[in-house]
Amino acid sequence: MKYRVAESFRNDFRRLPSEHQRLFQEAVRVHFLPAIEAGSFSGSPTWPKRLRIHRLNNTEIYSLTWNFASPDGRATFHLDKTDSGDPVLIWRRIGNHDIYRQP
């Protein structure tokens, strides 16, 4: 799946300590991308429980928990379409629970 990064995500990511950046990238590579390839956006199979992916109330924005302990790692994203109609994932925010104020 193609993806884009919102400026807010880019700014958030730069502020993360390098270890937190690495933990996020590992969760995406090891758990998130394989789940997308397996069809999790269509509901079969479901998302890996360790990522706690869910839609935020009354929005098209999803939340992913990439770490439960220190750091409390969260990221938000939504799906869009390219000009040609192909799906594209947009990374919106990354950080801790505070990102939910402006996901």
Side-chain angles (χ1 to χ4, degrees):
M1 172 171 281
K2 294 181 181 182
Y3 73 93
R4 288 192 299 232
V5 177
E7 191 63 30
S8 54
F9 183 94
R10 196 178 324 277
N11 292 335
D12 292 342
F13 190 81
R14 277 193 286 255
R15 285 192 290 268
L16 290 176
S18 59
E19 176 65 13
H20 299 191
Q21 293 174 2
R22 187 193 64 73
L23 288 169
F24 169 73
Q25 291 168 329
E26 182 178 316
V28 168
R29 186 181 64 255
V30 173
H31 302 287
F32 186 70
L33 293 177
I36 288 174
E37 291 297 319
S40 289
F41 271 119
S42 64
S44 179
T46 58
W47 292 104
K49 290 187 188 309
R50 79 166 310 283
L51 296 178
R52 292 183 62 196
I53 293 177
H54 64 279
R55 271 190 169 165
L56 300 181
N57 290 339
N58 301 316
T59 71
E60 296 297 318
I61 301 170
Y62 290 83
S63 171
L64 173 151
T65 302
W66 50 270
N67 199 48
F68 295 102
S70 180
D72 170 26
R74 316 290 174 114
T76 59
F77 61 94
H78 73 274
L79 293 178
D80 204 349
K81 294 200 183 281
T82 63
D83 292 339
S84 62
D86 295 325
V88 60
L89 184 139
I90 311 294
W91 289 108
R92 301 172 58 93
R93 299 292 310 273
I94 188 169
N96 60 28
H97 202 268
D98 292 342
I99 66 171
Y100 294 145
R101 292 184 193 139
Q102 294 181 323

